[in-house]
Amino acid sequence: MNEFYGKNGILFRLVRAGSPDMQVCCLQIPRDLLLLGIGMNTEFLFAPSILACDFSDIGSALARIEECGGDLVHIDVMDGHFVPEITVGAPVVASLRRRTKVPFDVHLMVDDPEHFIPLFAKAGADWLTFHYEAVTHIHSVIGQIRQAGMKAGISIVPSTPVPLLAEILGMVDLVLVMTVNPGYGGQTMIDSCLRKIRELVRLRQENGFRYLVSVDGGVNAGNFTRVLDNGADVVVSGSAFFNGSLAGILQSRTDFGGVDAFVRSRTGGG
Ligand code: DX5
Ligand code: ZN
């Protein structure tokens, strides 16, 4: 290959001195067009959110997630208090659990999430993520989730800065960066949130932490590269997945040996 991308999305092409190609030895390419280009990180866990599916036929949505190689099923639980909408609870999750073996990534957008821990554990959640903004005794909630046999995640809304998580980062399995205000699918990504991914990856490296960094809200084919370039491990998508616009990106993924192998490679743990 005699072409490569340098920093800032510049495509370099090596040519022989004196050849007619000399004039085009450097081309500026907009980053969004690099989506499937050289150097794209094709290793990430993909977590389609069923919030954007037809709720009268969630079974078909699960089948489609399996077909497209979804690694986790992202299930958004809303209580009408922490966010205005109400979605699904543990009984629905228990029914869905019987329809697929794909692990469940349950995102609690609820007040007092500790009340729901045993219910979602019993229903078959694998990863349980709650909001920093909804809880006072965070250490205790993380401990309860772990004790119930699930991986524990913490999520922050766009207005919550990463440094507020300093005392917690060593304890969690996942940090979910919301790139929209939680509560609805189909919103536009707040770009400034993407730097939080980089910040979390840096803190993980510097401190030997073991969490995955997940990104949720407004992901689409146009910003996917930026999400990955910032270091996201897990990408959640509702609308763009179910409207089919991520198909090309999903097909370009390389086989990384399953969720557990991926988690080990990113965090050094199991
Ligand atoms: C929003 C939810 C998201 C939502 C993402 O509050 O947490 O998981 O399903 O949907 P899109 O991808 O449509 O922004
Ligand atoms: Zn979510």
Side-chain angles (χ1 to χ4, degrees):
M1 183 63 69
N2 60 359
E3 288 182 342
F4 61 93
Y5 285 108
K7 284 191 176 160
N8 306 321
I10 296 174
L11 172 67
F12 291 93
R13 180 181 302 157
L14 299 174
V15 296
R16 267 181 212 293
S19 83
D21 278 336
M22 280 284 279
Q23 301 95 307
V24 290
C25 64
C26 177
L27 304 172
Q28 181 89 42
I29 308 281
R31 284 194 84 72
D32 288 348
L33 294 182
L34 303 185
L35 212 49
L36 299 178
I38 305 159
M40 179 189 169
N41 171 12
T42 53
E43 288 195 5
F44 56 93
L45 295 183
F46 186 58
S49 164
I50 58 167
L51 187 64
C53 80
D54 173 357
F55 267 47
S56 70
D57 192 8
I58 310 180
S60 298
L62 293 180
R64 184 158 166 209
I65 289 170
E66 286 181 359
E67 251 168 54
C68 296
D71 303 293
L72 305 167
V73 178
H74 186 86
I75 303 175
D76 289 304
V77 175
M78 305 185 188
D79 66 350
H81 288 277
F82 182 72
V83 290
E85 282 289 3
I86 296 177
T87 54
V88 298
V92 174
V93 173
S95 300
L96 299 179
R97 184 69 290 168
R98 294 191 279 277
R99 298 290 289 267
T100 182
K101 290 198 162 52
V102 180
F104 285 172
D105 170 33
V106 175
H107 177 190
L108 296 179
M109 283 163 277
V110 304
D111 284 333
D112 304 321
E114 58 272 27
H115 296 315
F116 299 99
I117 295 168
L119 299 175
F120 282 101
K122 190 158 175 240
D126 299 275
W127 300 69
L128 193 64
T129 295
F130 64 96
H131 268 267
Y132 170 85
E133 300 83 8
V135 172
T136 304
H137 304 294
I138 292 179
H139 288 83
S140 157
V141 175
I142 293 169
Q144 289 173 50
I145 295 175
R146 283 257 180 81
Q147 253 184 345
M150 297 175 286
K151 304 253 192 198
I154 186 109
S155 181
I156 48 175
V157 303
S159 59
T160 300
V162 168
L164 287 176
L165 301 179
E167 300 296 326
I168 302 159
L169 290 178
M171 306 175 63
V172 289
D173 300 295
L174 179 135
V175 181
L176 178 66
V177 175
M178 290 289 322
T179 43
V180 298
N181 286 294
Y184 306 96
Q187 302 181 73
T188 302
M189 178 179 283
I190 302 169
D191 275 358
S192 58
C193 295
L194 291 177
R195 71 182 150 65
K196 292 185 191 177
I197 310 170
R198 274 201 310 282
E199 206 175 339
L200 285 161
V201 170
R202 179 179 57 76
L203 289 168
R204 180 173 69 196
Q205 276 163 358
E206 286 174 3
N207 297 285
F209 294 146
R210 295 156 75 101
Y211 50 78
L212 295 180
V213 181
S214 180
V215 177
D216 185 9
V219 171
N220 61 33
N223 57 33
F224 213 98
T225 306
R226 260 181 296 136
V227 170
L228 292 178
D229 280 354
N230 277 282
D233 304 302
V234 184
V235 184
V236 176
S237 168
S239 318
F241 171 71
F242 281 102
N243 74 20
S245 58
L246 297 182
I249 291 166
L250 296 177
Q251 277 159 16
S252 77
R253 291 209 300 164
T254 44
D255 183 6
F256 46 75
V259 174
D260 291 344
F262 180 89
V263 172
R264 275 196 300 277
S265 75
R266 290 293 167 106
T267 67

